[in-house]
Amino acid sequence: MSGVPDSHLEAEIAEQPEVVGHLVDALQPRVGRLRSWLAGRRVTHIVLAARGSSDNVARYGQYLLAIRARLTVGLATPSVQTRYGVTPRMDGALVVGVSQSGRSPDVVGVLEAARSQGRPTVAITNALDSPLAAAADEVLHLDAGEERSVAATKTYTASLVAMAMLGLALGDEPTGTERDELAALPALMERTLNATRAGSAEALVGAATLVVTGRGLNLATAHEGALKIRELTGMRTEAFSPPDLLHGPVAAVAAGDPVLLVAPAEPSIEDQRQLAPTLRERGARLAVISGDRDLLDTADIAFALPEQPAPWLTPVTAVLPAQLVAAEMARARGLDLDRPVGLRKVTETR
Amino acid sequence: MSGVPDSHLEAEIAEQPEVVGHLVDALQPRVGRLRSWLAGRRVTHIVLAARGSSDNVARYGQYLLAIRARLTVGLATPSVQTRYGVTPRMDGALVVGVSQSGRSPDVVGVLEAARSQGRPTVAITNALDSPLAAAADEVLHLDAGEERSVAATKTYTASLVAMAMLGLALGDEPTGTERDELAALPALMERTLNATRAGSAEALVGAATLVVTGRGLNLATAHEGALKIRELTGMRTEAFSPPDLLHGPVAAVAAGDPVLLVAPAEPSIEDQRQLAPTLRERGARLAVISGDRDLLDTADIAFALPEQPAPWLTPVTAVLPAQLVAAEMARARGLDLDRPVGLRKVTETR
């Protein structure tokens, strides 16, 4: 898509390669220190706490950290504390909070509880002076600049990258290849943004609902794509992993319904290849974000990914076409891209 | 609702009090032995593995076990193993698999991995001769009889009760009050089924979409209600906790859209009380499952719960009106209640 952006949202989408490049440079030198610190803390499992778009960062972390650290990773349930008055023991846990504003009280509460039990805590946030940063032993500061659009874009991809770099501080010593793969991200993001042609979302604009599928590392991308389109357009969207879709919700996919398959080059693409014929049989219209020729050829609406990053980093580029589609659909519907109806930037849920 | 059921689904909905009564009697004597066994295993956190309706049982377990055992509880991510070839270390974990058929290969895989690491494993299943039961140290057998309808009802509530009883084997010694609360369930379920009047779902039949909200212990009920209505009617339904809804998806709730609030008598009812005015402002039509006079009075469609169980057991009765609504809507739409379009009883996802 081209031209001078005339919304904060579009400007922030375009800023992402630069923000990520800056972040990778800033965090690379800290990975070694984080490793030593975590190695001394006898971590047996990981707990992630987040809300909203950050919850999708946590979904990525749930797979990425499990794969890299070879540990189980769970998502926190803040209401156990805030509604039922029980603070779970976190023996053995590394506790990670993700919040761009750092002001989500329930996420802060989980980190404070962990810290009071002497467990190691990490914050991924865009606000160094936030309560979340104050509650953390280590802060991975996104330094993405102010996000003026209500819908998160640059803080989302930056948070993914911060999570990926936290992954390098766990499990095996990071390799030179992994460091190179991180360093290659900004250029690949730029190419992906440029490859998504304006007008490609046209076929989706009139749809009433949209199902988005993704699995494993890219379950996060499916959820974030669905959330972004919903936030910006008011369209009803939903995200599922292919197995969860097949376990029931597929019953609601009718002839003509659009389904968006997020299928970048990583092992879970296999599930999308298996899912596509089932959706076809039901008469669904297939939209596909992928670099895979066969999947793109079978699609009614194809978002072709150019050169892709290493599998563990695919969520960072695969979400970009979804962001652009959301913006384009909102514009086509005549909506305000920076202030979606009914949304606030910080929602102080407990 | 009344009359002789002429579908397996309706018969199985009606059977639930009896199934649960039988299960409580069968498991009560085993709680003590389970406690001793678990006490010897040095459990520091819990991992739950499930799919489909059973995933909603796991959602209940995530809160119930965290509250009772005062431990963190995470949901397993089977694709870490099946797609990325990594078996996470589960040091300190109790691993619980939930599957009525016991034949979900990804759930079985998580239990087998835990067992090979010497971790304690528990299966909640309706099939004693299943691979899941074979992979577990302890099997909580639902003994609910064959479930002939594709949509799970009696195995869902029975699995909730088995999960609740597993909770009694963790944390503080169970009290006589807790045992009495379990024993009271069948009668309260019967009363709840009788209190849901035929025709009460009429106002929802024509809706195209439905959002269902619930939090904490009853996030599971919201998800299961949404899944049941979707499976049986093909209607597009979604479940959210009130904070997650407010963090973005609320943008898609438009004037006239129905929202079903699951608000039985437990602490998370507070979130529903706070959510209702926001939904009203957006012009949503409120349907409410609750025993709370104020919430019911504010509702456009009221499903009044009669006498309710103790807070920890509210999901067992609160789901019943949702099951009846799903069945009634399917019937009104002229659909086959026992064989929803596009669904199979066992989906062998890996």
Side-chain angles (χ1 to χ4, degrees), chain A residues 57-137:
Chain A
V57 177
R59 282 194 172 96
Y60 170 61
Q62 202 179 9
Y63 291 88
L64 194 271
L65 300 184
I67 293 166
R68 207 171 189 302
R70 297 177 180 262
L71 296 177
T72 62
V73 185
L75 304 183
T77 46
S79 69
V80 167
Q81 244 169 277
T82 57
R83 284 291 168 262
Y84 302 99
V86 169
T87 305
R89 288 203 323 271
M90 304 188 213
D91 309 7
L94 161 66
V95 181
V96 183
V98 189
S99 168
Q100 67 85 18
S101 73
R103 291 190 282 143
S104 201
D106 42 10
V107 176
V108 174
V110 172
L111 256 73
E112 283 172 345
R115 204 179 199 182
S116 75
Q117 295 179 27
R119 297 309 312 163
T121 52
V122 173
I124 294 177
T125 181
N126 202 28
L128 269 183
D129 60 348
S130 62
L132 187 70
D137 298 322

Side-chain angles (χ1 to χ4, degrees), chain A residues 129-146:
Chain A
D129 60 348
S130 62
L132 187 70
D137 298 322
E138 293 285 340
V139 180
L140 305 185
H141 179 219
L142 303 180
D143 203 9
E146 191 192 353

Side-chain angles (χ1 to χ4, degrees), chain B residues 80-151:
Chain B
V80 167
Q81 244 169 277
T82 58
R83 285 290 169 261
Y84 302 99
V86 169
T87 305
R89 288 204 323 271
M90 304 186 213
D91 309 7
L94 161 66
V95 181
V96 182
V98 190
S99 167
Q100 69 83 19
S101 73
R103 291 190 282 143
S104 201
D106 43 10
V107 176
V108 174
V110 172
L111 256 73
E112 283 173 345
R115 205 179 198 183
S116 75
Q117 295 179 28
R119 298 310 311 162
T121 52
V122 174
I124 294 177
T125 181
N126 201 28
L128 267 183
D129 60 348
S130 63
L132 187 70
D137 298 321
E138 293 284 340
V139 180
L140 305 185
H141 180 219
L142 303 180
D143 204 8
E146 191 193 353
E147 193 163 52
R148 298 173 74 178
S149 162
V150 169

Side-chain angles (χ1 to χ4, degrees), chain A residues 16 22 24 50 64 66 68 75 120 123-124 157 226 263 269 283-284 302 305-306 313 320:
Chain A
Q16 293 176 98
H22 180 74
V24 169
L64 194 271
R68 207 171 189 302
L75 304 183
I124 294 177
T157 47
I269 195 173
L305 292 170
L313 297 172
L320 302 176

Side-chain angles (χ1 to χ4, degrees), chain B residues 268-285:
Chain B
S268 77
I269 194 172
E270 201 41 57
D271 293 87
Q272 305 282 19
R273 288 204 187 99
Q274 288 167 21
L275 176 65
T278 304
L279 294 173
R280 275 256 170 259
E281 275 168 39
R282 298 188 63 85
R285 279 193 298 152

Side-chain angles (χ1 to χ4, degrees), chain B residues 28-36 39 68-70 165-179 312:
Chain B
Q28 286 274 30
R30 286 185 54 197
V31 168
R33 205 186 68 195
L34 275 169
R35 283 187 69 81
S36 322
R68 207 170 189 300
R70 298 179 180 261
M165 297 183 79
L166 176 59
L168 295 187
L170 293 156
D172 296 338
E173 188 78 37
T175 62
T177 307
E178 286 172 315
R179 291 178 186 276
W312 63 299

